[in-house]
Amino acid sequence: MAASSSRVILFVEDEEAISAPFSKVLAREGFEPVVARTSADALELMGRIDPDLVLLDLTLPDGDGRDVCRELRRTSDVPIVMLTARGSEMDRVVGLEMGADDYVVKPFSGAEVVSRIRAVLRRSGRDARGVVAMRIGDIEIDPGARKASIGGEALSLTRKEFDLLAELARNAGQVVSREDLMSRVWDVNWFGSTKTLDVHIGGLRRKLGDDPAAPEYIETVRGVGFRLDVPGESPA
Ligand code: CA
C-alpha cells in the first residue's frame, strides 16, 4: 500500500445513479471520495474534511452549483471541477467566473473525470514535488510550496494568481499570449471572452504593487498577451 495519504474529493451530486458508480471509479484510482447530496451538505462538509478537490454538480435539489462555487471561493482556494449538463459557452464562462477551475459536460466517462481531476490537481501544485524555485528580479516563486515573495515579503496570492505568476515567470521577458495563459492556467481551449484572465491579472498586479497605467512587472502587450518584465535586471 502507498504510504502517502490519498487525496480527498468532496463529490457534490444528488443523483445516486451518478455518485455511486463514479465514487467507485475514484476510489479505484486512489482517491477518497466523500459524497454530499445538497448544497447545504457540501458547505457543511467543506468545513470539516478539508478536501483536496471539489467535484461539483451544477443542479442540486436546494440550489445552483454555481452559488456553492461562489460560496466556497469566499473562504477557500480548493480546486473545483464542475459537472454540467449545460454545455453552452455562456455556462462555461459563468462557471469559470464563479471560480471553478474546470468543468466536465455530462454524460462523461470515468476516465474523462479522472483525467480532469489529475490535470487540475497537477496545475494547482497539489501534485507538484521537487519543482525548482524561480527568482525573477526581486520576485521569488517556489512552485512546490506554492509560495511567492517580492523583496523578501511574502505575497498572499489566490491559486489562479499564483499559477499566472508562475507561468509568466517561466517565460520571463517573453510575451505569453492570452490563449496560452487560458489553456495553461485554466486548461481550456479558449475561443471566447478572456475577461476572467483580466480580472486575475488585475489582482496579481495589485498585490505586486504594479501601477496598471505604467506597470513595472506585468506588461500588457496589446492584442497579444502579457510579459513579466524584470526591473533592474537589464545590464546598465
Ligand atoms: Ca443534479
Side-chain angles (χ1 to χ4, degrees), residues 13-15 57 59:
E13 170 62 78
D14 56 310
E15 288 168 71
D57 188 27
T59 50

Short mmCIF file of all heavy atoms in Angstrom, two decimals, residues 13-15 57 59, ligand 1:
data_model
loop_
_atom_site.label_atom_id
_atom_site.label_comp_id
_atom_site.label_asym_id
_atom_site.label_seq_id
_atom_site.Cartn_x
_atom_site.Cartn_y
_atom_site.Cartn_z
N GLU A 13 -23.16 15.78 -5.50
CA GLU A 13 -24.02 15.24 -6.56
C GLU A 13 -25.24 14.59 -5.90
O GLU A 13 -25.10 13.74 -5.03
CB GLU A 13 -23.22 14.21 -7.37
CG GLU A 13 -24.03 13.38 -8.35
CD GLU A 13 -24.69 14.22 -9.44
OE1 GLU A 13 -23.98 14.62 -10.38
OE2 GLU A 13 -25.90 14.48 -9.33
N ASP A 14 -26.44 15.02 -6.31
CA ASP A 14 -27.65 14.49 -5.68
C ASP A 14 -28.11 13.18 -6.29
O ASP A 14 -28.84 12.43 -5.67
CB ASP A 14 -28.79 15.52 -5.76
CG ASP A 14 -29.06 15.97 -7.19
OD1 ASP A 14 -28.08 16.33 -7.88
OD2 ASP A 14 -30.22 15.96 -7.61
N GLU A 15 -27.70 12.90 -7.53
CA GLU A 15 -28.18 11.68 -8.20
C GLU A 15 -27.29 10.50 -7.85
O GLU A 15 -26.12 10.46 -8.24
CB GLU A 15 -28.18 11.88 -9.71
CG GLU A 15 -29.27 12.83 -10.19
CD GLU A 15 -29.04 13.22 -11.63
OE1 GLU A 15 -29.24 12.35 -12.49
OE2 GLU A 15 -28.65 14.36 -11.88
N ASP A 57 -21.67 19.28 -8.88
CA ASP A 57 -22.77 19.24 -9.84
C ASP A 57 -23.43 20.62 -9.91
O ASP A 57 -23.53 21.33 -8.91
CB ASP A 57 -23.79 18.18 -9.40
CG ASP A 57 -24.86 17.95 -10.46
OD1 ASP A 57 -24.59 18.18 -11.64
OD2 ASP A 57 -25.98 17.55 -10.07
N THR A 59 -26.68 21.30 -10.91
CA THR A 59 -28.08 21.35 -10.47
C THR A 59 -28.26 20.48 -9.23
O THR A 59 -28.11 19.27 -9.28
CB THR A 59 -29.02 20.84 -11.58
OG1 THR A 59 -28.53 19.59 -12.06
CG2 THR A 59 -29.06 21.82 -12.73
CA CA B 1 -28.01 17.08 -10.13
#
